[in-house]
């Protein structure tokens, strides 16, 4: 007998993770419209933007404008890779920030030019101060299952990294299958261990769909009592530092699967697909997810 929750929370990462590495420049106006359309579809938690150097991520150069003009509803997360990014986000009015570290040293070095230990040492005082100031902190754990450079990651290494973050008081752990190589058994086993170790921390699963196993991995995570999932409308996104990684699992496909199993999300699937349809002309590649194809054919 399957163990399923009555409801699940979707954390929409399309406006940030989905668009961050998009080759075509998406205007601030179209990003804001995308965010508004997702909100109107019922999305309550969302990664809006990233306070990173425009030199390295030009797509996120309008982070301050996004935060200043977005409708304030639900939990609005911004990615902040370092102290400079955190300060800029707070000055712009952010009250929920996300930090990130790779379990894999090699991946972390290629991503932000620091080892995992160096990143953690730099983040510790920042997180402690953020929590003292009452800011919501989400810790994103990259390469939690596999690394494109180091191969399979030992679960103990992922748990150890998460333990450090939990010790500093983070509110949420977003544990990522960054290159989409995890299997459902690995998903179930790791998330079962994480839920047992950290029962009082929000636990979110983040899957990429490289081998078309993201939905299976989400189902396995549900069996491990996870009820929070990152996803990207239209399946947009991908990591430039992870060779072979494709986009995030599509929000519309996740919502459809959950609804078909009787798990409520509070998201209107048709309005979600409409939001994808409206952003599609401004991204480089056509959107070709299962539920979006059905929506277009029906329309």
């Amino acid at each position: 007998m399957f163990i399923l929750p009555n409801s699940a929370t979707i954390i929409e990462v399309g406006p940030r993770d989905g668009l961050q590495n998009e080759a075509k420049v998406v205007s601030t106006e179209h990003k804001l419209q995308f965010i508004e359309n997702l909100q109107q579809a019922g999305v309550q938690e969302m990664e809006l933007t990233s306070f990173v150097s425009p030199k390295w991520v030009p797509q996120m150069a309008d982070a301050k404008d996004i935060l200043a003009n977005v409708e304030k509803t639900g939990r609005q997360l911004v990615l902040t890779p370092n102290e400079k990014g955190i300060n800029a986000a707070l000055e712009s009015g952010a009250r929920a920030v996300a930090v990130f570290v790779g379990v894999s040293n090699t991946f972390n070095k290629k991503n932000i030019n620091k080892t995992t230990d160096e990143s953690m040492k730099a983040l510790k005082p920042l997180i402690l101060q953020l929590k003292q100031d009452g800011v919501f902190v989400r810790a994103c754990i990259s390469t939690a299952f596999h690394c494109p450079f180091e191969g399979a990651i030992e679960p103990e290494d992922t748990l150890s990294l998460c333990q450090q973050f939990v010790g500093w008081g983070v509110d949420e752990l977003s544990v990522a299958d960054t290159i989409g190589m995890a299997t459902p058994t690995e998903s179930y086993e790791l998330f079962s261990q994480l839920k047992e170790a950290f029962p009082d921390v929000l636990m979110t699963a983040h899957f990429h769909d490289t081998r078309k196993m993201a939905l299976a991995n989400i189902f396995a995570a549900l069996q491990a009592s996870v009820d929070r999932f990152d996803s990207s409308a239209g399946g947009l996104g991908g990591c430039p530092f992870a060779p072979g990684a494709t986009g995030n699992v599509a929000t519309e496909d996740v919502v459809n699967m959950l609804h078909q199993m009787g798990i409520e999300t509070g998201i209107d699937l048709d309005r979600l697909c409409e939001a994808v349809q409206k952003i599609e002309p401004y991204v480089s590649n056509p959107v070709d997810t299962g539920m979006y194809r059905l929506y277009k054919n029906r329309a």
Side-chain angles (χ1 to χ4, degrees), residues 242-282:
T246 57
N248 301 279
V249 63
T251 306
E252 57 272 22
D253 289 343
V254 177
V255 168
N256 176 64
M257 183 182 79
L258 294 174
H259 287 183
Q260 291 295 321
M261 293 191 294
I263 302 172
E264 292 300 322
T265 65
I267 295 174
D268 184 305
L269 188 54
D270 281 343
R271 298 196 75 169
L272 176 62
C273 289
E274 183 181 337
V276 174
Q277 188 173 43
K278 288 181 177 179
I279 195 65
E280 184 179 22
Y282 306 105

Side-chain angles (χ1 to χ4, degrees), residues 1-127:
M1 188 68 178
F2 296 131
I3 302 171
L4 297 173
N6 293 322
S7 63
T9 300
I10 297 297
I11 299 87
E12 173 61 54
V13 302
R16 197 282 302 177
D17 198 3
L19 296 180
Q20 179 166 283
N21 301 302
E22 169 59 41
K24 290 171 64 175
V25 176
V26 182
S27 71
T28 303
E29 177 186 358
H30 290 133
K31 289 177 189 173
L32 287 168
Q33 188 62 59
F34 185 37
I35 292 167
E36 182 180 345
N37 291 338
L38 291 167
Q39 290 173 334
Q40 291 176 350
V43 174
Q44 289 297 307
E45 297 194 36
M46 199 182 314
E47 276 191 359
L48 297 180
T49 186
S50 179
F51 282 82
V52 293
S53 169
K55 175 183 177 182
W56 300 111
V57 190
Q59 192 72 254
M60 298 288 107
D62 57 358
K64 291 183 180 180
D65 291 332
I66 294 293
L67 211 54
N69 292 287
V70 73
E71 183 179 346
K72 303 298 186 290
T73 180
R75 180 174 293 133
Q76 301 183 333
L77 290 152
V78 296
L79 192 70
T80 53
N82 50 35
E83 183 174 13
K84 184 176 180 180
I86 288 172
N87 290 337
L90 296 179
E91 289 168 4
S92 299
R95 297 305 298 166
V97 303
V99 298
F100 59 91
V101 175
V103 182
S104 158
N105 270 306
T106 307
F107 176 84
N108 210 66
K109 191 78 173 176
K110 288 181 178 291
N111 194 357
I112 55 175
N113 201 31
K114 289 182 179 179
T115 66
T116 299
D117 284 345
E118 288 170 344
S119 287
M120 294 300 280
K121 287 176 181 176
L123 283 173
K124 180 179 179 179
L126 302 175
I127 291 172

Side-chain angles (χ1 to χ4, degrees), residues 17 101-103 107 138-148 151-153 158 173-188 190-191 194 204-218 220-221 229-230 237-239 242-249:
D17 198 3
V101 175
V103 182
F107 176 84
R138 162 180 165 105
C140 301
I141 314 298
S142 302
T143 57
F145 294 89
H146 293 267
C147 169
I153 298 295
T158 299
L173 294 168
S174 172
V175 180
D177 177 25
T178 307
I179 60 172
M181 296 297 287
T183 64
T185 51
E186 289 172 325
S187 171
Y188 176 80
L190 180 59
F191 280 110
L194 288 166
T204 301
H206 182 117
F207 290 108
H208 285 238
D209 210 20
T210 308
R211 298 194 297 172
K212 300 303 176 186
M213 285 207 287
L215 291 178
N217 282 322
I218 287 173
F229 301 97
D230 288 346
C239 181
T246 57
N248 301 279
V249 63

